[in-house]
């Protein structure tokens, strides 16, 4: 996962990870995974997985995400999950801030590939 303050950028896609685990996303993707058992693979092209489920830290998907340097986060706040679902198909930057995951809507799809240095990271710590 990225270091604190460093973000990952991708297009929001909402799906059951079991249904898309063998997909090959050509655009960096932030996967809003509606269900995660722990046995799934991280799909190619996914830069972050956010889910309301909490698989064990030693589950297959958690270990694969760590090895692939994919941000993997469990979110128990239904309103946050719904807010992300509402922006499906839009480009976002996802960052770790302490024990929270924050996201920011980007202005265009080209911002996904322009890299974190092009984004304003603010003065937070």
């Amino acid at each position: 996962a990225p270091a604190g303050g460093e973000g990952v950028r991708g297009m929001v896609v909402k799906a059951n990870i079991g249904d898309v685990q063998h997909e090959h996303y050509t655009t960096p993707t932030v996967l809003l995974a509606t269900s995660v058992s722990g046995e799934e693979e991280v799909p190619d092209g996914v830069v972050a997985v956010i889910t309301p489920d909490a698989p064990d830290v030693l589950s297959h998907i958690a270990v694969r995400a760590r090895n692939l340097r994919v941000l993997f986060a469990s979110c128990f706040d239904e309103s946050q999950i719904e807010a992300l679902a509402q922006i499906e198909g839009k480009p976002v930057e996802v960052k770790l801030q302490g024990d929270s995951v924050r996201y920011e809507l980007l202005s265009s799809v080209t911002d996904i590939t322009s890299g974190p240095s092009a984004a304003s990271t603010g003065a937070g710590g």
Side-chain angles (χ1 to χ4, degrees):
E6 185 180 326
V8 294
R9 294 169 170 217
M11 191 71 73
V12 177
V13 173
K14 180 180 176 183
N16 178 323
I17 197 164
D19 295 339
V20 298
Q21 65 182 331
H22 300 296
E23 292 290 325
H24 300 279
Y25 293 100
T26 56
T27 300
T29 299
V30 173
L31 184 62
L32 180 57
T34 55
S35 177
V36 175
S37 71
E39 298 304 314
E40 301 90 351
E41 291 290 334
V42 176
D44 288 343
V46 168
V47 295
V49 176
I50 301 172
T51 180
D53 292 330
D56 189 276
V57 296
L58 295 177
S59 68
H60 179 76
I61 194 164
V63 171
R64 293 289 292 147
R66 271 193 302 278
N67 290 343
L68 294 169
R69 300 190 51 78
V70 168
L71 186 147
F72 188 92
S74 294
C75 177
F76 304 113
D77 183 341
E78 280 187 44
S79 65
Q80 286 286 64
I81 294 290
E82 281 304 312
L84 265 173
Q86 293 298 316
I87 59 170
E88 182 174 13
K90 302 228 187 307
V92 295
E93 180 171 25
V94 179
K95 293 182 181 183
L96 294 176
Q97 289 183 338
D99 62 353
S100 297
V101 176
R102 306 277 183 223
Y103 67 90
E104 176 182 342
L105 200 56
L106 299 174
S107 57
S108 74
V109 175
T110 57
D111 288 342
I112 291 174
T113 56
S114 62
S117 61
S120 169
T121 57

